[in-house]
């Protein structure tokens, strides 16, 4: 396993967490803002439940992709990020 990202503390720590932690980071609205801010690419699944087929698919993809930072948060956080989900679940890509 080789690291090919930017050579600074935030990116290196993010990569190590990605490789050693869960495939998708559960985040509150504030934490999600930090994740999006330091990520070159972030895929966020806004959901009401982690017990759905869509969430399982999100995690399966996250476990295979290391160029994108995957996270999930409550649907209520979507509004803070201008995601037009109207209280529904959905996937949003940030770059």
């Amino acid at each position: 396993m080789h690291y090919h990202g930017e050579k600074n503390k935030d990116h290196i720590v993010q990569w190590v967490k990605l490789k050693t932690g869960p495939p998708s980071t559960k985040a509150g609205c504030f934490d999600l803002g930090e994740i999006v801010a330091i990520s070159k690419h972030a895929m966020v699944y806004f959901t009401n439940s982690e017990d759905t087929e869509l969430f399982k698919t999100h995690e399966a993809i996250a476990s295979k992709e290391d160029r994108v930072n995957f996270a999930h948060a409550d649907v209520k956080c979507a509004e803070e990020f201008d995601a037009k989900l109207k209280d529904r679940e959905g996937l949003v890509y940030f770059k």
Side-chain angles (χ1 to χ4, degrees):
M1 186 177 322
H2 301 283
Y3 176 72
H4 300 289
E6 294 183 36
K7 306 295 189 239
N8 67 53
K9 177 184 150 195
D10 290 338
H11 286 95
I12 293 169
V13 169
Q14 177 185 346
W15 184 83
V16 170
K17 285 181 179 179
L18 178 70
K19 292 299 182 185
T20 59
S24 178
T25 304
K26 184 174 185 171
C29 300
F30 178 79
D31 296 329
L32 188 57
E34 289 183 4
I35 290 169
V36 170
I38 67 165
S39 298
K40 196 171 191 176
H41 303 280
M43 186 71 72
V44 179
Y45 184 58
F46 293 99
T47 184
N48 290 319
S49 172
E50 295 178 18
D51 193 30
T52 66
E53 288 302 314
L54 289 174
F55 181 76
K56 291 174 187 172
T57 301
H58 170 75
E59 280 205 316
I61 293 168
S63 69
K64 296 178 180 149
E65 177 58 61
D66 64 354
R67 295 171 293 175
V68 176
N69 194 0
F70 286 82
H72 56 283
D74 192 275
V75 169
K76 293 174 183 155
C77 296
E79 197 173 295
E80 292 184 33
F81 294 89
D82 294 325
K84 311 290 187 232
L85 299 177
K86 298 181 183 171
D87 294 325
R88 296 180 305 211
E89 294 184 274
L91 195 58
V92 178
Y93 174 72
F94 296 93
K95 67 175 196 168

